[in-house]
Amino acid sequence: MPAPKTYTKAQWDEFARLLDALPEKPPSERRITVRDAMQDVRAHIDAARAKGYSVEQLIEQAKQAGINVTTSALRYALQETKKRRANARRADGTSNVRGNTKTSLNRPAKGPVRQQTGPAFHSKTERGNNEPGSLVVQDTFSFQIRPDTENL
């Protein structure tokens, strides 16, 4: 196994000093990931798609601009941008993905609401030992589980 590389404190200090001395790059020279670019370009892509252009044709246009991106990468970035925008709206409380209002955020997100009535609920309490201090755990579709307290 190779030994980990170590450097002196002076070398790390010199590196930090060099980083601090770097001039700021103009915005036109900064590197941007495909995912981050989608925030600014998504409206233009949607407009081009509304004009009848396919994603593959948009990829060709990107190649002409010097952007080498695959179709799947572009589609994934578009989906991620849509999800982030929906999550940002949900975090603000203004709406959720389906366009519902703030009141829908108070409801549970998934699954049916469990009601504490009906034969399944009553059978849980009827079967067990209802004396104070007894603990019986039972789900609707399972058997009773009692803690072993006799052999302590």
Side-chain angles (χ1 to χ4, degrees):
M1 180 185 327
K5 293 187 177 187
T6 59
Y7 302 96
T8 64
K9 174 76 168 127
Q11 288 173 310
W12 285 110
D13 290 342
E14 176 67 14
F15 177 58
R17 187 187 64 73
L18 290 172
L19 291 177
D20 290 341
L22 287 173
E24 188 159 336
K25 279 189 169 184
S28 61
E29 293 180 17
R30 293 183 184 177
R31 309 289 286 178
I32 301 173
T33 64
V34 174
R35 181 179 171 193
D36 291 338
M38 286 303 111
Q39 294 174 353
D40 298 328
V41 183
R42 182 174 180 77
H44 300 283
I45 291 173
D46 290 343
R49 299 277 314 270
K51 292 178 185 177
Y53 290 93
S54 68
V55 174
E56 290 80 12
Q57 291 169 327
L58 299 178
I59 295 297
E60 290 300 319
Q61 294 295 317
K63 286 181 182 176
Q64 288 180 8
I67 299 171
N68 189 17
V69 64
T70 63
T71 305
S72 60
L74 183 64
R75 285 188 175 145
Y76 181 75
L78 287 168
Q79 288 176 350
E80 286 295 310
T81 304
K82 185 186 280 187
K83 287 179 188 175
R84 285 195 293 177
R85 285 172 45 187
N87 288 338
R89 282 188 297 218
R90 241 184 272 136
D92 292 343
T94 55
S95 67
N96 62 13
V97 176
R98 295 183 185 152
N100 294 337
T101 60
K102 198 182 227 184
T103 57
S104 68
L105 297 176
N106 295 333
R107 287 187 230 138
K110 293 182 180 179
V113 176
R114 288 190 175 182
Q115 296 178 351
Q116 299 293 328
T117 61
F121 179 73
H122 292 297
S123 65
K124 270 200 302 192
T125 56
E126 290 170 2
R127 282 190 218 157
N129 183 0
N130 292 332
E131 298 174 10
S134 67
L135 175 65
V136 177
V137 179
Q138 180 182 354
D139 192 0
T140 305
F141 302 108
S142 64
F143 53 89
Q144 293 180 359
I145 302 173
R146 294 177 190 249
D148 185 17
T149 57
E150 295 175 7
N151 297 328
L152 294 180

